[in-house]
Amino acid sequence: MEEMIFNLADTHLFFNDLEECDQVHIDDVSSDDNGQDLSTYSFATDGFHAAATSASLCLATGVRGGVDWMRKLAFRYRRVKEMYSTYKNNVGGLLGPAKRDAWLQLRAEVEALTDSWLTNALKSLSIISSRSNCVNVLVTTTQLIPAVAKVLLYSLGSAFPIENIYSATKIGKEGCFERIMQRYGRKVVYVVVGDGVEEEQAAKKHNMPFWRISSHSDLLALHQALEFEYL
């Protein structure tokens, strides 16, 4: 699965170009986008990669490339957003016939080995996203582009709009929580669902209830709580 994630990220989501230019959120460089039509744009020949590698423009020093280069960066993130929206319910169409079969086989094996973990998780996520006043937000330690690939390959695209995916690689999970609270405000109810210490501590700091998932029974209990509207 890891190989498939990085393959998808490299082949369709510019991970070769963007690995050193990681963002927390898909819209973080959108202010550099001039909105031009990208339907005939050639990403392969726009000179972005050569400029990026020669000057290490995206490293953590905070050095930014020139305006022209930043615009090319923004174009890539816009295209990733378009690809996600187009294929989030049709990942097989993005992969093509041969890879699609391998992917479906792998997915079936993962489900068998984990006793349908993904199916059970999706039940809860689907209830949440079907409610008019609730949203699913994903905070992950994976870099943004591989995270987007992972969400697609696990068929979680219907549960998470790409705008609701945050990568904590650069700023940590608590930093992401801060950004999410700025976005939705402090008057809404946040429930943190996870299995790690980092998100539990961040939840505690912001007085958010934490639902720990460490076993199938935790997943089933979450589903029941949602189904009976206790949550």
Side-chain angles (χ1 to χ4, degrees), residues 6-197:
F6 284 107
N7 193 299
L8 176 66
D10 283 337
T11 309
H12 299 289
L13 306 175
F14 305 108
F15 191 50
N16 282 323
D17 287 354
L18 301 177
E19 186 171 6
E20 302 295 335
C21 314
D22 193 39
Q23 304 297 322
V24 176
H25 185 271
I26 196 72
D27 290 333
D28 281 357
V29 289
S30 61
S31 61
D32 293 299
D33 192 332
N34 64 0
Q36 83 180 57
D37 179 16
L38 298 179
S39 55
T40 57
Y41 185 84
S42 171
F43 288 97
T45 58
D46 70 353
F48 174 88
H49 199 63
T53 33
S54 64
S56 302
L57 286 169
C58 271
L59 298 177
T61 52
V63 177
R64 290 158 72 93
V67 173
D68 179 56
W69 186 85
M70 287 302 297
R71 189 161 55 236
K72 291 170 184 173
L73 179 68
F75 287 168
R76 280 157 173 74
Y77 277 100
R78 167 149 56 108
R79 176 54 63 85
V80 168
K81 198 172 177 177
E82 287 168 1
M83 296 289 280
Y84 185 93
S85 304
T86 305
Y87 290 105
K88 64 181 185 179
N89 296 315
N90 177 27
V91 183
L94 180 60
L95 294 174
K99 283 207 169 79
R100 177 180 177 273
D101 291 344
W103 168 63
L104 290 172
Q105 174 69 36
L106 179 63
R107 283 281 308 277
E109 286 170 16
V110 168
E111 281 292 87
L113 288 166
T114 60
D115 196 17
S116 304
W117 182 272
L118 185 60
T119 302
N120 287 321
L122 252 174
K123 283 179 186 169
S124 293
L125 292 168
S126 301
I127 291 176
I128 295 164
S129 53
S130 70
R131 292 177 177 174
S132 61
N133 61 341
C134 294
V135 292
N136 293 309
V137 179
L138 180 71
V139 176
T140 174
T141 47
T142 305
Q143 281 187 281
L144 186 62
I145 297 298
V148 167
K150 193 187 274 191
V151 170
L152 287 171
L153 288 167
Y154 281 106
S155 298
L156 295 168
S158 58
F160 295 100
I162 195 167
E163 295 85 355
N164 291 10
I165 300 172
Y166 290 80
S167 167
T169 310
K170 291 206 299 192
I171 63 169
K173 288 194 174 171
E174 197 191 312
C176 289
F177 283 22
E178 291 280 358
R179 283 195 52 170
I180 292 161
M181 289 173 80
Q182 283 169 8
R183 176 176 165 190
Y184 291 106
R186 299 192 179 264
K187 292 191 173 152
V188 299
V189 177
Y190 296 93
V191 179
V192 180
V193 180
D195 67 347
V197 176

